[in-house]
């Protein structure tokens, strides 16, 4: 049974690290949903409850209600997370 992979990026306009993650995803043709946290502290509260952080970027990769999160702007770790999700989804 395959899992439909979904990528969710929690970001803030003007965040350099968020921009790097967006650029990587777009350059590699990954579709993603962006959640803009600027001016919305409730969304940061959600991140704190889920992962214990209030900072962005946070990248969630998964599907069928199960997600793994990258809590730092590390392109190499993001590549590994995306590659691992491809193995699960195929």
């Amino acid at each position: 049974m395959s899992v439909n992979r979904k990528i969710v990026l929690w970001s803030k306009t003007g965040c350099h690290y968020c921009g790097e993650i967006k650029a990587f995803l777009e350059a590699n043709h990954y579709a993603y949903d962006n959640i803009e946290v600027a001016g919305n502290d409730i969304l940061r509260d959600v991140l704190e409850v889920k992962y214990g952080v209030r900072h962005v970027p946070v990248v969630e990769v998964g599907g069928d209600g199960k997600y793994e999160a990258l809590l730092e702007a590390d392109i190499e770790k993001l590549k590994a997370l995306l590659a691992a999700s491809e193995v699960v989804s195929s």
Side-chain angles (χ1 to χ4, degrees):
M1 177 183 198
S2 73
V3 175
N4 291 324
R5 177 177 62 189
K6 184 173 182 179
I7 301 169
V8 179
L9 172 62
W10 298 71
S11 68
K12 180 177 93 169
T13 300
C15 166
H16 172 73
Y17 298 112
C18 300
E20 287 181 5
I21 298 293
K22 285 178 184 179
F24 170 80
L25 292 172
E26 291 167 7
N28 290 282
H29 309 289
Y30 287 106
Y32 65 95
D33 293 329
N34 185 63
I35 298 175
E36 173 67 45
V37 302
N40 197 341
D41 281 343
I42 291 172
L43 293 175
R44 289 185 187 267
D45 293 343
V46 170
L47 286 175
E48 188 169 20
V49 168
K50 288 175 86 171
Y51 304 115
V53 300
R54 294 184 64 82
H55 65 77
V56 290
V58 171
V59 183
E60 295 175 315
V61 179
D64 293 341
K66 297 178 184 177
Y67 287 83
E68 190 169 340
L70 178 65
L71 306 177
E72 57 193 292
D74 185 319
I75 298 296
E76 293 305 314
K77 288 182 181 178
L78 178 56
K79 287 178 186 177
L81 180 59
L82 292 168
S85 74
E86 287 173 2
V87 171
V88 171
S89 65
S90 57

